[in-house]
Each structure stands twice: as C-alpha cells, then as structure tokens.
Amino acid sequence: MYLTSFRFNTARTGARRLLASPQALHAAVMSSYPDILPGDDGPRVLWRVDRNARAEVLLYVVGPDEPDLTHLVEQAGWPAKEGGWRTHDYAPFLSRLAKGDVWAFRLTANPVHSIRRRDGEPTKLTPHITPRHQARWLLQRQEAAGFRVLERPGEDDHAPEEDGHDLLVHGRRDLRFGKGGAGRAAGAKPVSLVTVTYDGHLEVTDPDALRRTLTMGLGRARAYGCGLMTLAPAGKR
C-alpha cells in the first residue's frame, strides 16, 4: 500500500473544477492507477481532500500501487515544479502499529443512519445533521475499527458520552452532484451527501482492525472522498 499527497493550485480553473465535483475528482484519482479497470473488485482506493486554508488544499490518496498524478499536476497543480506529488510506502508504518499507541487522527466521513418514517415502510439512509449525532456515529464504530477516541481530562462524568472525548467535528459540506458516465440513465437522481471532518486523538486497541480501517476505509461514500483516516504523531494534525 502507498500513501500519496498532492497540493492543488487553487488559482487554476482545473483545480476549482475538480474540487467542485466529487464525481470528477474520483475519476481523476482512479485515472492515476492504469492497472485498475472500472468495475474491478480489486484493492480499494481511498482519497480525501483537506481544505486547510484557501491556498492550502491537499489531496491524500491510499492505494495498492504508486499512482501517476501527472494529469492532475497538468490540470490542477504546478507543472513547472519538480515532482508535483509525494508518495510513501505505507506498509512499514502500518506494520509498526501496536496496541496502546496514541495518535492524532483525521477522518472525513459520511455519517448516516437508517430510519423508518412510517410503520411498514422500508428504511431509508438519512444523514446525521448535528455535531453531537455525528460524533456519536464515529464513537459507535471505534471498537470494530480498532481504536478508542481518547477522553478529555476533567470532563463532567454526567455529560453526554460524545461531549467527553478529544474529538472535534467540523467542516460540514452538503454536496449534490450528478453521477456521471456514459451509461448514466436518463433522469437519474443526483447524488446527495453530507460530509464532516473529525479531528482528535485515539489509542490503538486492535492493530489488525485499525490497519483494515486505514486501508479499506470507514463508512459510506468512499468513492466520493469519504472514509480515509490518516494518523500523525500525537499533538500534530
């Protein structure tokens, strides 16, 4: 597995076009892997956009091979800059994960739940809207995902569970876009997503499960920039 980072040149029209459309950016990311054909059931490719500032917008990609982002550099980067992206072998880092390790983490996800509005109706996936429910969505998945979000010291023992954790939920985006492709059915409904970003600190509880989370993703809408969790030394983002 490989972890790749790429910085957008947000002054370029191509960058703004890609950042405005998760569908277009998904296609651009997948085009970086010539050996992965559409419809393949092979290893998953995960990606995430971090909008740290107006001029600092980063793309992170985790995939089975080293990607070729030449087309992204030409459309949305700095063609005159040597390199244009950075790729690191992810396997050594993943192999060193150990129970009890503490890391800072970031995750962009699509927190949803199934509801039934009336008796007898099928359930429907509905996004969580409030930060409290979005935080609870992650906390409900942490054990299976191989980690534990750390608690904040000195919190009120009677506070709601999601309020006592070292967890910031921010950057909500309400996305609505067409699902492209030559085979798209006429009149097909657009895709609607609510995404949020989680920042916090975690403790590794199950290294194997966390390795799966880091390489396979967490939650839905992984094709559209959700599900990729990354780690950094504690205290850093």
Side-chain angles (χ1 to χ4, degrees):
M1 300 298 291
Y2 292 86
L3 172 65
T4 298
S5 62
F6 167 83
R7 183 180 173 189
F8 286 96
N9 182 348
T10 54
R12 300 188 66 182
T13 301
R16 294 195 296 270
R17 179 183 65 82
L18 288 172
L19 291 169
S21 171
Q23 178 71 23
L25 189 47
H26 168 68
V29 168
M30 296 310 299
S31 295
S32 305
Y33 295 90
D35 294 331
I36 300 179
L37 301 177
D40 276 359
D41 292 328
R44 181 177 293 276
V45 174
L46 301 171
W47 60 272
R48 186 184 79 221
V49 172
D50 284 3
R51 293 170 169 82
N52 298 328
R54 182 183 294 273
E56 187 184 10
V57 180
L58 304 173
L59 171 69
Y60 292 95
V61 182
V62 168
D65 304 303
E66 293 190 56
D68 182 352
L69 302 188
T70 302
H71 60 297
L72 273 175
V73 174
E74 293 172 345
Q75 295 177 53
W78 282 268
K81 185 177 179 180
E82 185 178 352
W85 69 90
R86 295 180 179 179
T87 296
H88 304 278
D89 186 351
Y90 210 16
F93 173 78
L94 295 172
S95 68
R96 290 195 299 269
L97 290 174
K99 186 174 182 178
D101 286 351
V102 173
W103 296 93
F105 73 89
R106 172 168 287 183
L107 165 73
T108 293
N110 170 226
V112 296
H113 62 134
S114 295
I115 63 171
R116 179 179 286 110
R117 298 185 184 279
R118 297 183 180 85
D119 290 342
E121 288 188 350
T123 59
K124 180 181 179 181
L125 281 177
T126 304
H128 286 297
I129 300 302
T130 67
R132 175 166 291 178
H133 286 98
Q134 291 162 348
R136 187 177 301 167
W137 176 90
L138 179 62
L139 295 174
Q140 290 172 343
R141 287 156 179 78
Q142 60 180 345
E143 181 178 357
F147 63 88
R148 178 181 68 87
V149 179
L150 298 184
E151 291 83 12
R152 294 192 188 101
E155 288 291 328
D156 182 357
D157 291 340
H158 300 289
E161 179 187 14
E162 59 275 7
D163 289 347
H165 288 79
D166 183 1
L167 181 64
L168 174 65
V169 183
H170 63 100
R172 172 178 161 177
R173 303 188 74 218
D174 295 74
L175 305 174
R176 187 177 175 86
F177 53 93
K179 193 171 183 179
R184 181 180 57 173
K189 292 184 179 180
V191 178
S192 297
L193 296 175
V194 173
T195 70
V196 295
T197 296
Y198 300 88
D199 282 326
H201 287 84
L202 61 78
E203 178 185 344
V204 180
T205 57
D206 184 336
D208 288 336
L210 183 56
R211 280 187 275 270
R212 288 193 297 271
T213 299
L214 295 175
T215 56
M216 299 299 292
L218 183 61
R220 292 177 173 269
R222 300 177 203 184
Y224 301 123
C226 297
L228 174 57
M229 174 183 279
T230 52
L231 305 181
K236 297 183 179 180
R237 295 297 192 208

